[in-house]
Amino acid sequence: QGQLVESGGGSVQAGGSLRLSCAASGFTYNSGCMSWFRRPPGKEREGVAAINFSGSSYYAGSVKGRFAITRDNAKNTLYLQMNNLEPEDTAMYYCATDQRGCINSDYALAEKRYPYWGQGTQVTVAS
C-alpha cells in the first residue's frame, strides 16, 4: 500500500515563502498525476496545483504566479514552492496521487479522482 508524507508547513508572515514536500513510497507506479490540495478553516478542500510525470503543470487561479509545483521522479517527491503568501492561503495542505495522467486542469484538480492522500501539513499565514 502506498504512502504519502507531507512536510514543510509552518507559520509565516504575509509576503513570506514556504516550500512543502511530499514523499511517496510503496506505490507500484511513479508516473501519473500528483497534486496539492488545501482545506482552509471552515471550508471544503480545494485543488491548488497538479503536475504530470512529464512536468506539465496546472494551477488554481488563486495561486497562479505565486506557487510553483515540481516533482523529482527519481526521488518520488513532490514539491510546492509558495511565495508571496497571503492570510487566505492559511490551510491544511495535502498531497494526492493517481496513476492516471492529469489530462487537463479541471480533471487534475478534481478531488474525487484521487485514491491516495497524505495526512496533511498546516500552513498559517499571519497578516
Side-chain angles (χ1 to χ4, degrees):
Q1 182 69 21
Q3 185 178 23
L4 299 171
V5 179
E6 302 96 335
S7 62
S11 297
V12 297
Q13 294 291 320
S17 298
L18 282 173
R19 188 193 195 203
L20 305 184
S21 299
C22 172
S25 62
F27 290 96
T28 58
Y29 64 93
N30 69 345
S31 57
C33 192
M34 297 191 76
S35 65
W36 288 99
F37 284 73
R38 67 186 182 186
R39 188 192 302 276
K43 297 183 179 180
E44 295 185 351
R45 190 156 55 185
E46 61 185 17
V48 175
I51 186 168
N52 259 329
F53 183 80
S54 63
S56 298
S57 57
Y58 309 85
Y59 295 93
S62 60
V63 305
K64 195 171 294 184
R66 299 188 298 122
F67 291 9
I69 187 171
T70 57
R71 63 191 286 175
D72 185 329
N73 294 324
K75 296 181 178 179
N76 293 324
T77 302
L78 178 71
Y79 302 98
L80 184 69
Q81 178 66 44
M82 305 185 295
N83 298 325
N84 195 21
L85 283 160
E86 304 169 349
E88 293 73 23
D89 296 316
T90 295
M92 182 71 78
Y93 282 73
Y94 303 87
C95 67
T97 186
D98 180 3
Q99 66 179 347
R100 297 164 292 180
C102 293
I103 309 297
N104 57 45
S105 181
D106 288 343
Y107 192 53
L109 299 180
E111 180 180 0
K112 292 183 177 181
R113 67 164 287 177
Y114 291 98
Y116 304 108
W117 293 83
Q119 293 301 306
T121 186
Q122 178 67 38
V123 171
T124 302
V125 184
S127 58

